[in-house]
Amino acid sequence: MQPTLTVHMGCAKGGSTAIQRFLRKNAAALRERGVVVPTVDFEPGSTLRGNQIDYFQGIIHDGRARPVEGLAERLLALLRGDGAGQIVISAENLCNPVGFEAVIAPLTQHFRVRLLMYMRRQDDYLESAWQQWYVKEGRSLLSWIIANVGVVADWHQMLLPWAETFGDDALTVRRFDRDQLVGGDIVADFCEYTGIDCTGLKVPKREANASYDSRVSAIVEGRGELFDGPHDRGFYQMLRSLTDDAILKKPDSPRLFSTEERRAIMARYRDSNECLRARWLPDVEPPLFPPGPPVVRAL
């Protein structure tokens, strides 16, 4: 029987940090249960982070991912010695439309490949992504939304190349919604759908990669000089330390988009979301993402 290669392919801002923290903290215990968590570059002795984001990002050239030699051999070597039967890869950038499916495809000669994708409703995703990365570019929210709404976070379009390569049955698609997750928890849901027994393992209690109150964005919008790049968190961390976590988003925090704006954003994804629901989640009542409750917009 072929060993299993489970590929957690995203999405970003969809609970991936919590999943990867769980994999990192429990790597040794998971190995005892037959599940291998690779290092960042699949090499013995390298750093163990619970993800391989940088490895996959590093094989992108001229906007396309390039297949690499020897990846299958590295993965097979991880299984030798103690009868492990499953490897878990986690990298939320794999769902980016740069051809990563062609990198994973040759591995089907050696593994039963299973793909797991979490989706977040697009208005929430855009809000969170803007705050974490794109506001740091120094542009306005309006210009960024005009350029990206309806394009960024089109989960159906992201999944199509993977379905064409591996078939629909290889894909498990889940909504990143606490009301829909097993036990209301992303880690429990991940374990359920990957067949991992998480009994007795260390499950993160603190929210991973927490979002910030949308009013923080108003402070930094148009101020790209405050950041060294999209992944620089220095300014946010300073504010967080000074406010004792008061800048973190809470359930009743004001939002970047008004209720009307959120509806308009979701309307741009309506047809694509319905295609996805009908294909992978036919048991879910339409729409794929029900209308959210009214919100208060940040001034």
Side-chain angles (χ1 to χ4, degrees):
M1 179 182 295
Q2 284 185 315
T4 298
L5 177 64
T6 297
V7 181
H8 168 231
M9 51 185 286
C11 68
K13 309 304 300 179
S16 54
T17 301
I19 290 170
Q20 291 157 6
R21 182 179 295 173
F22 166 78
L23 293 172
R24 176 176 56 83
K25 288 181 174 291
N26 295 284
L30 287 170
R31 181 87 198 205
E32 294 176 356
R33 302 180 187 200
V35 179
V36 176
V37 179
T39 59
V40 292
D41 58 2
F42 308 104
E43 293 286 2
S46 295
T47 304
L48 180 67
R49 295 180 187 156
N51 73 72
Q52 294 76 39
I53 299 169
D54 291 344
Y55 174 85
F56 288 109
Q57 199 65 27
I59 63 175
I60 298 176
H61 303 285
D62 298 324
R64 298 296 294 175
R66 304 301 180 193
V68 291
E69 295 183 3
L71 180 56
E73 289 72 18
R74 285 197 230 179
L75 291 172
L76 289 169
L78 296 176
L79 297 175
R80 298 187 187 123
D82 53 11
Q86 180 179 186
I87 297 174
V88 178
I89 291 174
S90 180
E92 59 266 35
N93 52 345
L94 283 173
C95 68
N96 294 341
V98 295
F100 282 124
E101 67 279 356
V103 176
I104 303 298
L107 301 178
T108 57
Q109 299 177 38
H110 308 279
F111 297 90
R112 180 173 71 98
V113 176
R114 300 188 308 174
L115 309 166
L116 176 60
M117 169 79 165
Y118 286 94
M119 312 165 299
R120 187 170 183 174
R121 56 180 296 139
Q122 284 91 353
D123 51 355
D124 283 344
Y125 173 84
L126 291 170
E127 179 176 271
S128 187
W130 165 256
Q131 291 179 280
Q132 181 160 338
W133 302 306
Y134 299 105
V135 70
K136 300 171 184 177
E137 295 176 349
R139 63 198 299 187
S140 71
L141 173 61
L142 179 60
S143 67
W144 182 75
I145 283 294
I146 290 173
N148 290 284
V149 70
V151 180
V152 170
D154 187 333
W155 311 129
H156 181 244
Q157 287 299 315
M158 289 181 177
L159 287 169
L160 286 179
W162 293 87
E164 292 168 3
T165 302
F166 297 93
D168 285 17
D169 290 345
L171 272 163
T172 296
V173 184
R174 298 283 294 156
R175 288 180 294 177
F176 180 60
D177 180 342
R178 292 190 190 280
D179 292 337
Q180 303 299 321
L181 299 174
V182 172
D185 180 76
I186 185 67
V187 172
D189 198 89
F190 173 80
C191 290
E192 175 77 14
Y193 282 86
T194 53
I196 294 175
D197 178 9
C198 63
T199 306
L201 300 183
K202 302 173 184 176
V203 177
K205 299 299 182 184
R206 185 172 180 267
E207 183 178 358
N209 199 17
S211 296
Y212 295 98
D213 188 297
S214 59
R215 288 167 291 192
V216 175
S217 299
I219 298 174
V220 299
E221 184 174 341
R223 302 290 303 277
E225 70 275 9
L226 294 174
F227 305 95
D228 290 334
H231 302 293
D232 177 17
R233 299 185 180 184
F235 186 76
Y236 285 163
Q237 289 172 339
M238 179 193 70
L239 288 180
R240 188 171 177 178
S241 66
L242 291 174
T243 62
D244 194 25
D245 287 354
I247 67 168
L248 296 183
K249 186 172 74 175
K250 301 173 182 62
D252 59 348
S253 293
R255 307 296 294 271
L256 281 180
F257 308 122
S258 68
T259 301
E260 182 179 356
E261 290 166 341
R262 286 163 64 87
R263 289 172 180 164
I265 288 170
M266 294 306 295
R268 292 289 298 273
Y269 296 95
R270 183 181 297 119
D271 292 345
S272 181
N273 282 347
E274 174 54 22
C275 289
L276 188 155
R277 185 204 65 80
R279 184 166 179 175
W280 280 289
L281 296 168
D283 294 335
V284 172
E285 290 291 328
L288 177 63
F289 297 108
V295 299
V296 176
R297 188 184 191 278
L299 298 178

